[in-house]
Amino acid sequence: MQFDLKTNEKGNLSIGGADAVELTEKYDTPLYVIDEMKIRDNYNRLYNAFSSQYEDFKIFYACKANTNLAVMRILEQEGSCIDAVSPGEVYTSLLAGFEPERILYTGNNVTDEELKFAVSSGVTINLDSISALKRLSKLTDPEKVRISFRVNPMVGAGHHEHCITGGELSKFGVMEKEAADVYSLAQDLGFTPVGIHTHIGSGILDPEPFMLAVETLMDITGKVHEEAGVKFEFIDFGGGLGIPYEPHENKLDIDHFSKEIVGLFKNKLNEYNLGKPTMYLEPGRYIVGNASTLLTKVNTIKQSYRKFAGVDAGFNTLLRPSMYGSYHHIVVANKPEAEATQNIDIAGNVCESGDLFARDRPLPEVEEGDILAILNAGAYGFSMSSQYNSRPKTAEVLVTDGESEVIRERETFADVLTKQNVPVRLLK
Ligand SMILES: *Cc1c(COP(=O)(O)O)cnc(C)c1O
């Protein structure tokens, strides 16, 4: 079966050895179910592929993909570092046990308060603009902070326009052509920059755009080294490694991918005499994407102008289909092997017509009470969820060896209202 789906003796979908239908009976729906072993496997597959080619290699898990503390603990145990994009993520990472040396803070459009927080946390600060560099120099002793710059090479890639973070339309980073000057300016201000970074996009399944970004960043790095005399401790190629969402898509061939990238990296290190800096990658999706399944119950079958199966989750629970038009494979968890007999729309419960998980999806007969498993919901699933329509956020459970534990409780109506205040004059 596609996506390594497993069916148990009861004929139900099995996730990490646990029965998906029983999980919904125990914890209710909608429910995010995270398979611990998949996270560990994904991390180790990637780590081994690269570190076997180049020893000085580190993974900085881009935690915005899923910031659950249990997920972060799993990655801390595996030896991962963290890419944090906000002070809240820095705070979460520290709480999860990552030492500041293992955290890279890549903010964008950062405020002075955010820079101060990053400085006081002791994390490495990856700067996104000359403005942030100048402001940082006024806020702290430049000799005491480790900085790098995010460079925007003229290369972008991604599964959706919103996910392309390199190229001339992108808001991120400093321009390729100004990179050497920016490093010189940093040195003039008293900093000793230690790294260089780029992140060109997300959902990349084809090595080509990534290779082009590596080549471009290496050329930029070489130029900065030659012109500004910077000695690089690390070169960070960002994240963006994709996973297959559609059944016809292939997995990234990680052994081939790592060989190509490391080969190019080593050639460029030699070409520019860059020594032996540590290579960083910042995968988010690749680490957690296929590790979670969103379970949701069908409550309404409706034959309108089209045929709909209405479920108890919506884009407040999983935004990707509505926001990016993303495909998520869906199986009926109580009969995962049944053949498709119809094309049907799977609609959420939010009051917006864009709230659809799938249009015209080939599925077996679906009845009210069936449990749908929306696959590959681990990256940017829970972390992008909201309380829109005053719906409490859903629960997350972690499964391993057939055992399940709640790692985030389901919110209540009271949780949705917490922090609101009604002025006394309005209570009369
Ligand atoms: C989001 C992000 C990543 C991770 O992207 P994925 O597509 O999930 O791998 C890495 N680095 C930075 C700076 C990011 O903003």
Side-chain angles (χ1 to χ4, degrees):
M1 254 183 141
Q2 271 133 358
F3 302 117
D4 311 323
L5 293 186
K6 295 199 173 58
T7 305
N8 64 16
E9 64 287 352
K10 290 189 184 154
N12 292 335
L13 179 68
S14 168
I15 305 174
D19 184 307
V21 177
E22 286 173 12
L23 288 174
T24 64
E25 286 159 3
K26 187 163 178 190
Y27 302 109
D28 208 353
T29 48
L31 184 69
Y32 274 102
V33 181
I34 304 176
D35 183 340
E36 177 171 345
M37 280 319 293
K38 284 208 172 152
I39 297 178
R40 293 189 187 275
D41 287 350
N42 292 340
Y43 180 87
N44 286 307
R45 186 183 327 107
L46 187 65
Y47 184 76
N48 294 337
F50 277 86
S51 61
S52 62
Q53 309 286 324
Y54 187 77
E55 231 174 59
D56 295 310
F57 171 70
K58 285 184 182 163
I59 293 178
F60 281 65
Y61 167 57
C63 70
K64 71 178 187 288
N66 186 326
T67 39
N68 188 288
L69 288 169
V71 170
M72 308 271 285
R73 282 301 308 146
I74 292 167
L75 289 158
E76 195 285 323
Q77 287 184 342
E78 291 294 343
S80 185
C81 301
I82 292 288
D83 178 62
V85 295
S86 70
E89 288 188 357
V90 171
Y91 175 86
T92 306
S93 307
L94 291 167
L95 199 68
F98 292 87
E99 300 83 3
E101 305 79 66
R102 287 163 76 188
I103 302 170
L104 179 66
Y105 170 53
T106 303
N108 81 94
N109 299 328
V110 290
T111 65
D112 289 0
E113 285 65 37
E114 290 172 344
L115 288 171
K116 275 186 206 155
F117 178 79
V119 168
S120 66
S121 307
V123 300
T124 304
I125 303 176
N126 190 23
L127 294 163
D128 188 63
S129 66
I130 297 170
S131 157
L133 170 69
K134 288 185 176 161
R135 286 184 283 125
L136 180 65
S137 73
K138 293 191 190 122
L139 293 172
T140 181
D141 175 357
E143 287 180 7
K144 294 208 175 115
V145 278
R146 287 164 53 81
I147 62 160
S148 57
F149 288 95
R150 177 173 189 160
V151 179
N152 175 1
M154 293 295 283
V155 187
H159 60 85
H160 185 277
E161 193 189 329
H162 294 171
C163 299
I164 300 172
T165 51
E168 64 183 359
L169 291 179
S170 165
K171 68 168 179 166
F172 293 105
V174 299
M175 287 184 290
E176 186 173 333
K177 62 173 191 242
E178 66 184 355
D181 291 342
V182 171
Y183 277 85
S184 294
L185 174 61
Q187 289 169 325
D188 293 346
L189 291 169
F191 293 97
T192 307
V194 291
I196 191 161
H197 167 274
T198 196
H199 170 68
I200 60 158
S202 196
I204 303 164
L205 281 172
D206 168 14
E208 282 316 307
F210 207 90
M211 293 287 287
L212 193 57
V214 168
E215 183 168 12
T216 313
L217 186 68
M218 291 306 288
D219 289 336
I220 297 168
T221 308
K223 191 163 174 245
V224 173
H225 175 67
E226 280 164 6
E227 292 182 14
V230 175
K231 199 175 167 309
F232 288 98
E233 251 176 58
F234 71 83
I235 301 179
D236 184 343
F237 299 112
L241 286 70
I243 59 166
Y245 283 101
E246 301 200 34
H248 67 83
E249 288 176 314
N250 291 321
K251 283 187 186 141
L252 196 58
D253 178 349
I254 208 70
D255 289 316
H256 171 72
F257 190 71
S258 61
K259 282 195 186 108
E260 297 272 304
I261 288 174
V262 173
L264 177 59
F265 176 69
K266 283 181 178 166
N267 285 343
K268 291 285 178 185
L269 289 181
N270 285 337
E271 182 181 335
Y272 295 109
N273 269 316
L274 289 165
K276 275 197 95 210
T278 306
M279 180 198 275
Y280 291 5
L281 283 184
E282 298 172 344
R285 188 185 315 279
Y286 188 84
I287 303 291
V288 294
N290 72 348
S292 282
T293 307
L294 173 60
L295 300 176
T296 180
K297 190 182 259 177
V298 177
N299 52 51
T300 307
I301 298 289
K302 181 193 280 190
Q303 181 64 60
S304 181
Y305 303 103
R306 313 172 54 80
K307 188 167 180 193
F308 291 97
V311 299
D312 62 2
F315 74 60
N316 56 313
T317 329
L318 177 66
L319 184 60
R320 299 187 71 256
S322 300
M323 177 143 155
Y324 305 121
S326 305
Y327 180 99
H328 280 269
H329 203 63
I330 299 176
V331 299
V332 184
N334 44 299
K335 47 178 178 182
E337 291 179 30
E339 294 287 324
T341 55
Q342 60 171 342
N343 284 4
I344 187 168
D345 292 354
I346 307 296
N349 55 0
V350 171
C351 282
E352 303 249 357
S353 54
D355 183 34
L356 280 177
F357 289 112
R359 185 76 94 184
D360 263 331
R361 182 65 60 87
L363 276 179
E365 234 19 70
V366 180
E367 294 169 68
E368 293 178 4
D370 280 348
I371 302 294
L372 299 187
I374 304 181
L375 306 184
N376 303 312
Y380 312 104
F382 189 94
S383 63
M384 280 191 169
S385 69
S386 74
Q387 296 170 328
Y388 186 47
N389 280 200
S390 296
R391 292 205 179 261
K393 287 199 191 185
T394 188
E396 288 179 292
V397 301
L398 184 68
V399 290
T400 189
D401 291 335
E403 300 297 321
S404 59
E405 289 155 293
V406 177
I407 57 172
R408 182 189 296 261
E409 284 173 38
R410 189 176 297 284
E411 288 183 355
T412 63
F413 293 146
D415 291 325
V416 176
L417 295 172
T418 181
K419 303 289 187 193
Q420 290 201 35
N421 272 315
V422 181
V424 173
R425 64 191 171 78
L426 297 179
L427 293 173
K428 288 181 192 132

